[in-house]
Amino acid sequence: MTVDDTIPMRLRRAYLTMHRVAQAHFAEFGITVDQYVLMSVLAEAEGIIQTQLSERMSSDANTVGAMLKLLEQKNVIRRQPSDRDRRAQRVYLTASGKRLHKKLVRHSSQIHQTLEAALTPRKRQTLLNGLDEITRALQ
């Protein structure tokens, strides 16, 4: 078996290919793929605590903190202290952030359609199950 035939290399190749395509797409809007993911998580769970946001994104807190600072400067998100724990920050999309996210979702639909069309529903579910098993095994 060559290194090209290993699970880690194939996961890396698929992820980096998808990431490059999406990165080029979102660059037009001045947003990175990771920032889009952050905005998408907030669109589903607005007002979550910053640490929960990091967990949902599977990203480290420092990276998320840096992204939040940048997006805050662009008026895409806002943070406010939690009522329960003043040290914790709740994160929200601003009105302009919500508009931008909707635009990004519309403009990324082709990427999502291409990914969905690449696998039959059964193969898709098998892939998702396999990825979940890998995640659990490595945690």
Side-chain angles (χ1 to χ4, degrees), residues 75-103:
N75 194 36
V76 172
I77 64 102
R78 66 180 173 81
R79 292 184 271 190
Q80 70 182 52
S82 171
D83 293 338
R84 292 183 185 168
D85 180 355
R86 302 296 285 172
R87 296 168 298 173
Q89 295 283 309
R90 293 203 175 273
V91 186
Y92 300 86
L93 286 171
T94 62
S96 62
K98 289 175 183 178
R99 286 191 301 274
L100 175 60
H101 181 256
K102 285 180 183 178
K103 184 186 294 186

PDB file of all heavy atoms in Angstrom, residues 75-103:
ATOM      1  N   ASN A  75     -18.323  44.177  10.958  1.00  0.00           N
ATOM      2  CA  ASN A  75     -19.726  44.318  11.345  1.00  0.00           C
ATOM      3  C   ASN A  75     -20.587  43.133  10.874  1.00  0.00           C
ATOM      4  O   ASN A  75     -21.745  43.296  10.508  1.00  0.00           O
ATOM      5  CB  ASN A  75     -20.315  45.647  10.841  1.00  0.00           C
ATOM      6  CG  ASN A  75     -21.639  45.962  11.510  1.00  0.00           C
ATOM      7  OD1 ASN A  75     -21.829  45.664  12.691  1.00  0.00           O
ATOM      8  ND2 ASN A  75     -22.567  46.529  10.757  1.00  0.00           N
ATOM      9  N   VAL A  76     -20.009  41.937  10.913  1.00  0.00           N
ATOM     10  CA  VAL A  76     -20.723  40.720  10.534  1.00  0.00           C
ATOM     11  C   VAL A  76     -21.285  40.030  11.773  1.00  0.00           C
ATOM     12  O   VAL A  76     -22.364  39.446  11.728  1.00  0.00           O
ATOM     13  CB  VAL A  76     -19.788  39.769   9.749  1.00  0.00           C
ATOM     14  CG1 VAL A  76     -20.426  38.422   9.507  1.00  0.00           C
ATOM     15  CG2 VAL A  76     -19.370  40.417   8.430  1.00  0.00           C
ATOM     16  N   ILE A  77     -20.549  40.123  12.877  1.00  0.00           N
ATOM     17  CA  ILE A  77     -21.010  39.521  14.140  1.00  0.00           C
ATOM     18  C   ILE A  77     -20.894  40.558  15.245  1.00  0.00           C
ATOM     19  O   ILE A  77     -20.224  41.573  15.102  1.00  0.00           O
ATOM     20  CB  ILE A  77     -20.209  38.243  14.515  1.00  0.00           C
ATOM     21  CG1 ILE A  77     -18.721  38.573  14.781  1.00  0.00           C
ATOM     22  CG2 ILE A  77     -20.334  37.171  13.466  1.00  0.00           C
ATOM     23  CD1 ILE A  77     -18.378  38.622  16.229  1.00  0.00           C
ATOM     24  N   ARG A  78     -21.564  40.235  16.369  1.00  0.00           N
ATOM     25  CA  ARG A  78     -21.392  41.032  17.579  1.00  0.00           C
ATOM     26  C   ARG A  78     -21.327  40.060  18.751  1.00  0.00           C
ATOM     27  O   ARG A  78     -21.904  38.960  18.714  1.00  0.00           O
ATOM     28  CB  ARG A  78     -22.504  42.053  17.761  1.00  0.00           C
ATOM     29  CG  ARG A  78     -23.867  41.468  18.018  1.00  0.00           C
ATOM     30  CD  ARG A  78     -24.933  42.560  18.199  1.00  0.00           C
ATOM     31  NE  ARG A  78     -26.248  41.977  18.272  1.00  0.00           N
ATOM     32  CZ  ARG A  78     -26.778  41.436  19.373  1.00  0.00           C
ATOM     33  NH1 ARG A  78     -26.105  41.416  20.492  1.00  0.00           N
ATOM     34  NH2 ARG A  78     -27.994  40.923  19.342  1.00  0.00           N
ATOM     35  N   ARG A  79     -20.587  40.453  19.757  1.00  0.00           N
ATOM     36  CA  ARG A  79     -20.467  39.647  20.969  1.00  0.00           C
ATOM     37  C   ARG A  79     -20.995  40.447  22.150  1.00  0.00           C
ATOM     38  O   ARG A  79     -20.894  41.667  22.174  1.00  0.00           O
ATOM     39  CB  ARG A  79     -19.013  39.281  21.238  1.00  0.00           C
ATOM     40  CG  ARG A  79     -18.426  38.335  20.221  1.00  0.00           C
ATOM     41  CD  ARG A  79     -17.030  37.939  20.590  1.00  0.00           C
ATOM     42  NE  ARG A  79     -16.057  38.871  20.021  1.00  0.00           N
ATOM     43  CZ  ARG A  79     -14.753  38.661  20.018  1.00  0.00           C
ATOM     44  NH1 ARG A  79     -14.255  37.578  20.573  1.00  0.00           N
ATOM     45  NH2 ARG A  79     -13.935  39.543  19.487  1.00  0.00           N
ATOM     46  N   GLN A  80     -21.569  39.720  23.081  1.00  0.00           N
ATOM     47  CA  GLN A  80     -21.992  40.367  24.323  1.00  0.00           C
ATOM     48  C   GLN A  80     -21.822  39.377  25.467  1.00  0.00           C
ATOM     49  O   GLN A  80     -21.951  38.163  25.263  1.00  0.00           O
ATOM     50  CB  GLN A  80     -23.420  40.893  24.233  1.00  0.00           C
ATOM     51  CG  GLN A  80     -24.504  39.840  24.198  1.00  0.00           C
ATOM     52  CD  GLN A  80     -25.885  40.479  24.068  1.00  0.00           C
ATOM     53  OE1 GLN A  80     -26.112  41.290  23.185  1.00  0.00           O
ATOM     54  NE2 GLN A  80     -26.782  40.082  24.953  1.00  0.00           N
ATOM     55  N   PRO A  81     -21.525  39.886  26.635  1.00  0.00           N
ATOM     56  CA  PRO A  81     -21.349  38.997  27.790  1.00  0.00           C
ATOM     57  C   PRO A  81     -22.625  38.207  28.088  1.00  0.00           C
ATOM     58  O   PRO A  81     -23.730  38.716  27.931  1.00  0.00           O
ATOM     59  CB  PRO A  81     -21.030  39.952  28.941  1.00  0.00           C
ATOM     60  CG  PRO A  81     -20.578  41.218  28.280  1.00  0.00           C
ATOM     61  CD  PRO A  81     -21.303  41.278  26.970  1.00  0.00           C
ATOM     62  N   SER A  82     -22.446  36.978  28.501  1.00  0.00           N
ATOM     63  CA  SER A  82     -23.576  36.133  28.878  1.00  0.00           C
ATOM     64  C   SER A  82     -24.193  36.649  30.174  1.00  0.00           C
ATOM     65  O   SER A  82     -23.486  37.133  31.052  1.00  0.00           O
ATOM     66  CB  SER A  82     -23.096  34.690  29.069  1.00  0.00           C
ATOM     67  OG  SER A  82     -24.106  33.895  29.635  1.00  0.00           O
ATOM     68  N   ASP A  83     -25.513  36.544  30.275  1.00  0.00           N
ATOM     69  CA  ASP A  83     -26.201  36.950  31.505  1.00  0.00           C
ATOM     70  C   ASP A  83     -25.811  36.052  32.689  1.00  0.00           C
ATOM     71  O   ASP A  83     -25.742  36.505  33.815  1.00  0.00           O
ATOM     72  CB  ASP A  83     -27.721  36.890  31.322  1.00  0.00           C
ATOM     73  CG  ASP A  83     -28.221  37.934  30.337  1.00  0.00           C
ATOM     74  OD1 ASP A  83     -27.504  38.932  30.121  1.00  0.00           O
ATOM     75  OD2 ASP A  83     -29.318  37.746  29.779  1.00  0.00           O
ATOM     76  N   ARG A  84     -25.553  34.788  32.398  1.00  0.00           N
ATOM     77  CA  ARG A  84     -25.254  33.815  33.460  1.00  0.00           C
ATOM     78  C   ARG A  84     -23.805  33.882  33.928  1.00  0.00           C
ATOM     79  O   ARG A  84     -23.515  33.655  35.087  1.00  0.00           O
ATOM     80  CB  ARG A  84     -25.555  32.398  32.976  1.00  0.00           C
ATOM     81  CG  ARG A  84     -27.010  32.159  32.765  1.00  0.00           C
ATOM     82  CD  ARG A  84     -27.265  30.755  32.362  1.00  0.00           C
ATOM     83  NE  ARG A  84     -28.677  30.583  32.038  1.00  0.00           N
ATOM     84  CZ  ARG A  84     -29.152  29.533  31.454  1.00  0.00           C
ATOM     85  NH1 ARG A  84     -28.374  28.543  31.117  1.00  0.00           N
ATOM     86  NH2 ARG A  84     -30.449  29.457  31.198  1.00  0.00           N
ATOM     87  N   ASP A  85     -22.895  34.126  32.971  1.00  0.00           N
ATOM     88  CA  ASP A  85     -21.474  34.155  33.291  1.00  0.00           C
ATOM     89  C   ASP A  85     -20.852  35.298  32.502  1.00  0.00           C
ATOM     90  O   ASP A  85     -20.645  35.176  31.300  1.00  0.00           O
ATOM     91  CB  ASP A  85     -20.828  32.815  32.923  1.00  0.00           C
ATOM     92  CG  ASP A  85     -19.342  32.769  33.223  1.00  0.00           C
ATOM     93  OD1 ASP A  85     -18.764  33.806  33.631  1.00  0.00           O
ATOM     94  OD2 ASP A  85     -18.745  31.694  33.054  1.00  0.00           O
ATOM     95  N   ARG A  86     -20.555  36.376  33.159  1.00  0.00           N
ATOM     96  CA  ARG A  86     -20.076  37.588  32.480  1.00  0.00           C
ATOM     97  C   ARG A  86     -18.740  37.365  31.766  1.00  0.00           C
ATOM     98  O   ARG A  86     -18.365  38.152  30.910  1.00  0.00           O
ATOM     99  CB  ARG A  86     -19.936  38.739  33.487  1.00  0.00           C
ATOM    100  CG  ARG A  86     -21.214  39.084  34.231  1.00  0.00           C
ATOM    101  CD  ARG A  86     -22.319  39.588  33.370  1.00  0.00           C
ATOM    102  NE  ARG A  86     -22.087  40.963  32.942  1.00  0.00           N
ATOM    103  CZ  ARG A  86     -22.826  41.589  32.063  1.00  0.00           C
ATOM    104  NH1 ARG A  86     -23.842  40.978  31.510  1.00  0.00           N
ATOM    105  NH2 ARG A  86     -22.570  42.811  31.713  1.00  0.00           N
ATOM    106  N   ARG A  87     -18.018  36.296  32.112  1.00  0.00           N
ATOM    107  CA  ARG A  87     -16.755  35.998  31.426  1.00  0.00           C
ATOM    108  C   ARG A  87     -17.012  35.377  30.060  1.00  0.00           C
ATOM    109  O   ARG A  87     -16.180  35.473  29.168  1.00  0.00           O
ATOM    110  CB  ARG A  87     -15.895  35.046  32.259  1.00  0.00           C
ATOM    111  CG  ARG A  87     -15.436  35.631  33.580  1.00  0.00           C
ATOM    112  CD  ARG A  87     -14.862  34.561  34.455  1.00  0.00           C
ATOM    113  NE  ARG A  87     -15.920  33.580  34.745  1.00  0.00           N
ATOM    114  CZ  ARG A  87     -15.744  32.440  35.367  1.00  0.00           C
ATOM    115  NH1 ARG A  87     -14.553  32.107  35.790  1.00  0.00           N
ATOM    116  NH2 ARG A  87     -16.743  31.612  35.586  1.00  0.00           N
ATOM    117  N   ALA A  88     -18.148  34.723  29.902  1.00  0.00           N
ATOM    118  CA  ALA A  88     -18.496  34.054  28.642  1.00  0.00           C
ATOM    119  C   ALA A  88     -19.113  35.063  27.683  1.00  0.00           C
ATOM    120  O   ALA A  88     -19.869  35.945  28.078  1.00  0.00           O
ATOM    121  CB  ALA A  88     -19.478  32.915  28.909  1.00  0.00           C
ATOM    122  N   GLN A  89     -18.772  34.904  26.413  1.00  0.00           N
ATOM    123  CA  GLN A  89     -19.286  35.798  25.374  1.00  0.00           C
ATOM    124  C   GLN A  89     -20.301  35.054  24.511  1.00  0.00           C
ATOM    125  O   GLN A  89     -20.011  33.970  24.003  1.00  0.00           O
ATOM    126  CB  GLN A  89     -18.141  36.280  24.473  1.00  0.00           C
ATOM    127  CG  GLN A  89     -17.112  37.142  25.174  1.00  0.00           C
ATOM    128  CD  GLN A  89     -17.628  38.544  25.388  1.00  0.00           C
ATOM    129  OE1 GLN A  89     -18.103  39.184  24.464  1.00  0.00           O
ATOM    130  NE2 GLN A  89     -17.534  39.019  26.620  1.00  0.00           N
ATOM    131  N   ARG A  90     -21.471  35.652  24.329  1.00  0.00           N
ATOM    132  CA  ARG A  90     -22.463  35.119  23.388  1.00  0.00           C
ATOM    133  C   ARG A  90     -22.213  35.799  22.053  1.00  0.00           C
ATOM    134  O   ARG A  90     -21.873  36.975  21.998  1.00  0.00           O
ATOM    135  CB  ARG A  90     -23.873  35.382  23.878  1.00  0.00           C
ATOM    136  CG  ARG A  90     -24.194  34.594  25.142  1.00  0.00           C
ATOM    137  CD  ARG A  90     -25.684  34.394  25.319  1.00  0.00           C
ATOM    138  NE  ARG A  90     -25.923  33.535  26.457  1.00  0.00           N
ATOM    139  CZ  ARG A  90     -25.944  32.201  26.410  1.00  0.00           C
ATOM    140  NH1 ARG A  90     -25.746  31.588  25.273  1.00  0.00           N
ATOM    141  NH2 ARG A  90     -26.164  31.490  27.489  1.00  0.00           N
ATOM    142  N   VAL A  91     -22.402  35.040  20.978  1.00  0.00           N
ATOM    143  CA  VAL A  91     -22.077  35.556  19.649  1.00  0.00           C
ATOM    144  C   VAL A  91     -23.337  35.566  18.787  1.00  0.00           C
ATOM    145  O   VAL A  91     -24.111  34.602  18.782  1.00  0.00           O
ATOM    146  CB  VAL A  91     -20.987  34.694  18.965  1.00  0.00           C
ATOM    147  CG1 VAL A  91     -20.559  35.312  17.646  1.00  0.00           C
ATOM    148  CG2 VAL A  91     -19.784  34.501  19.884  1.00  0.00           C
ATOM    149  N   TYR A  92     -23.519  36.666  18.065  1.00  0.00           N
ATOM    150  CA  TYR A  92     -24.690  36.876  17.222  1.00  0.00           C
ATOM    151  C   TYR A  92     -24.251  37.383  15.852  1.00  0.00           C
ATOM    152  O   TYR A  92     -23.276  38.125  15.743  1.00  0.00           O
ATOM    153  CB  TYR A  92     -25.618  37.939  17.833  1.00  0.00           C
ATOM    154  CG  TYR A  92     -26.127  37.590  19.198  1.00  0.00           C
ATOM    155  CD1 TYR A  92     -25.383  37.903  20.332  1.00  0.00           C
ATOM    156  CD2 TYR A  92     -27.350  36.951  19.362  1.00  0.00           C
ATOM    157  CE1 TYR A  92     -25.844  37.588  21.599  1.00  0.00           C
ATOM    158  CE2 TYR A  92     -27.820  36.636  20.624  1.00  0.00           C
ATOM    159  CZ  TYR A  92     -27.065  36.949  21.742  1.00  0.00           C
ATOM    160  OH  TYR A  92     -27.527  36.630  23.000  1.00  0.00           O
ATOM    161  N   LEU A  93     -25.000  37.025  14.828  1.00  0.00           N
ATOM    162  CA  LEU A  93     -24.830  37.661  13.527  1.00  0.00           C
ATOM    163  C   LEU A  93     -25.525  39.022  13.587  1.00  0.00           C
ATOM    164  O   LEU A  93     -26.603  39.138  14.165  1.00  0.00           O
ATOM    165  CB  LEU A  93     -25.487  36.828  12.416  1.00  0.00           C
ATOM    166  CG  LEU A  93     -24.778  35.539  12.004  1.00  0.00           C
ATOM    167  CD1 LEU A  93     -25.666  34.730  11.065  1.00  0.00           C
ATOM    168  CD2 LEU A  93     -23.438  35.836  11.352  1.00  0.00           C
ATOM    169  N   THR A  94     -24.914  40.027  12.997  1.00  0.00           N
ATOM    170  CA  THR A  94     -25.574  41.328  12.877  1.00  0.00           C
ATOM    171  C   THR A  94     -26.557  41.249  11.712  1.00  0.00           C
ATOM    172  O   THR A  94     -26.575  40.251  10.967  1.00  0.00           O
ATOM    173  CB  THR A  94     -24.541  42.436  12.584  1.00  0.00           C
ATOM    174  OG1 THR A  94     -23.916  42.147  11.332  1.00  0.00           O
ATOM    175  CG2 THR A  94     -23.514  42.562  13.698  1.00  0.00           C
ATOM    176  N   ALA A  95     -27.349  42.274  11.521  1.00  0.00           N
ATOM    177  CA  ALA A  95     -28.281  42.300  10.383  1.00  0.00           C
ATOM    178  C   ALA A  95     -27.507  42.180   9.072  1.00  0.00           C
ATOM    179  O   ALA A  95     -27.896  41.418   8.185  1.00  0.00           O
ATOM    180  CB  ALA A  95     -29.118  43.577  10.406  1.00  0.00           C
ATOM    181  N   SER A  96     -26.397  42.906   8.961  1.00  0.00           N
ATOM    182  CA  SER A  96     -25.617  42.807   7.718  1.00  0.00           C
ATOM    183  C   SER A  96     -24.952  41.434   7.608  1.00  0.00           C
ATOM    184  O   SER A  96     -24.791  40.904   6.507  1.00  0.00           O
ATOM    185  CB  SER A  96     -24.578  43.931   7.616  1.00  0.00           C
ATOM    186  OG  SER A  96     -23.653  43.854   8.672  1.00  0.00           O
ATOM    187  N   GLY A  97     -24.599  40.833   8.740  1.00  0.00           N
ATOM    188  CA  GLY A  97     -24.048  39.477   8.741  1.00  0.00           C
ATOM    189  C   GLY A  97     -25.065  38.453   8.255  1.00  0.00           C
ATOM    190  O   GLY A  97     -24.731  37.537   7.505  1.00  0.00           O
ATOM    191  N   LYS A  98     -26.316  38.624   8.671  1.00  0.00           N
ATOM    192  CA  LYS A  98     -27.383  37.714   8.216  1.00  0.00           C
ATOM    193  C   LYS A  98     -27.606  37.851   6.718  1.00  0.00           C
ATOM    194  O   LYS A  98     -27.773  36.852   6.014  1.00  0.00           O
ATOM    195  CB  LYS A  98     -28.693  38.005   8.968  1.00  0.00           C
ATOM    196  CG  LYS A  98     -28.646  37.587  10.417  1.00  0.00           C
ATOM    197  CD  LYS A  98     -29.918  37.994  11.148  1.00  0.00           C
ATOM    198  CE  LYS A  98     -29.802  37.632  12.618  1.00  0.00           C
ATOM    199  NZ  LYS A  98     -30.979  38.036  13.387  1.00  0.00           N
ATOM    200  N   ARG A  99     -27.585  39.093   6.224  1.00  0.00           N
ATOM    201  CA  ARG A  99     -27.752  39.310   4.768  1.00  0.00           C
ATOM    202  C   ARG A  99     -26.591  38.689   3.999  1.00  0.00           C
ATOM    203  O   ARG A  99     -26.796  38.018   2.989  1.00  0.00           O
ATOM    204  CB  ARG A  99     -27.866  40.802   4.456  1.00  0.00           C
ATOM    205  CG  ARG A  99     -29.199  41.412   4.838  1.00  0.00           C
ATOM    206  CD  ARG A  99     -29.373  42.825   4.279  1.00  0.00           C
ATOM    207  NE  ARG A  99     -28.341  43.754   4.724  1.00  0.00           N
ATOM    208  CZ  ARG A  99     -28.389  44.442   5.861  1.00  0.00           C
ATOM    209  NH1 ARG A  99     -29.429  44.314   6.677  1.00  0.00           N
ATOM    210  NH2 ARG A  99     -27.408  45.282   6.179  1.00  0.00           N
ATOM    211  N   LEU A 100     -25.378  38.900   4.496  1.00  0.00           N
ATOM    212  CA  LEU A 100     -24.202  38.333   3.829  1.00  0.00           C
ATOM    213  C   LEU A 100     -24.263  36.815   3.839  1.00  0.00           C
ATOM    214  O   LEU A 100     -23.991  36.167   2.818  1.00  0.00           O
ATOM    215  CB  LEU A 100     -22.919  38.822   4.509  1.00  0.00           C
ATOM    216  CG  LEU A 100     -21.610  38.219   3.982  1.00  0.00           C
ATOM    217  CD1 LEU A 100     -21.422  38.524   2.491  1.00  0.00           C
ATOM    218  CD2 LEU A 100     -20.426  38.738   4.807  1.00  0.00           C
ATOM    219  N   HIS A 101     -24.648  36.230   4.967  1.00  0.00           N
ATOM    220  CA  HIS A 101     -24.724  34.769   5.052  1.00  0.00           C
ATOM    221  C   HIS A 101     -25.735  34.222   4.046  1.00  0.00           C
ATOM    222  O   HIS A 101     -25.459  33.231   3.359  1.00  0.00           O
ATOM    223  CB  HIS A 101     -25.074  34.312   6.474  1.00  0.00           C
ATOM    224  CG  HIS A 101     -25.123  32.831   6.586  1.00  0.00           C
ATOM    225  ND1 HIS A 101     -26.308  32.139   6.639  1.00  0.00           N
ATOM    226  CD2 HIS A 101     -24.127  31.899   6.595  1.00  0.00           C
ATOM    227  CE1 HIS A 101     -26.039  30.847   6.702  1.00  0.00           C
ATOM    228  NE2 HIS A 101     -24.735  30.671   6.680  1.00  0.00           N
ATOM    229  N   LYS A 102     -26.890  34.846   3.943  1.00  0.00           N
ATOM    230  CA  LYS A 102     -27.893  34.389   2.966  1.00  0.00           C
ATOM    231  C   LYS A 102     -27.340  34.450   1.546  1.00  0.00           C
ATOM    232  O   LYS A 102     -27.557  33.541   0.742  1.00  0.00           O
ATOM    233  CB  LYS A 102     -29.178  35.215   3.077  1.00  0.00           C
ATOM    234  CG  LYS A 102     -30.012  34.859   4.276  1.00  0.00           C
ATOM    235  CD  LYS A 102     -31.274  35.688   4.343  1.00  0.00           C
ATOM    236  CE  LYS A 102     -32.046  35.342   5.613  1.00  0.00           C
ATOM    237  NZ  LYS A 102     -33.244  36.141   5.771  1.00  0.00           N
ATOM    238  N   LYS A 103     -26.622  35.509   1.247  1.00  0.00           N
ATOM    239  CA  LYS A 103     -26.015  35.658  -0.077  1.00  0.00           C
ATOM    240  C   LYS A 103     -24.969  34.558  -0.309  1.00  0.00           C
ATOM    241  O   LYS A 103     -24.917  33.944  -1.382  1.00  0.00           O
ATOM    242  CB  LYS A 103     -25.345  37.029  -0.197  1.00  0.00           C
ATOM    243  CG  LYS A 103     -24.771  37.323  -1.569  1.00  0.00           C
ATOM    244  CD  LYS A 103     -23.987  38.632  -1.610  1.00  0.00           C
ATOM    245  CE  LYS A 103     -24.896  39.816  -1.390  1.00  0.00           C
ATOM    246  NZ  LYS A 103     -24.175  41.111  -1.565  1.00  0.00           N
TER     247      LYS A 103
END
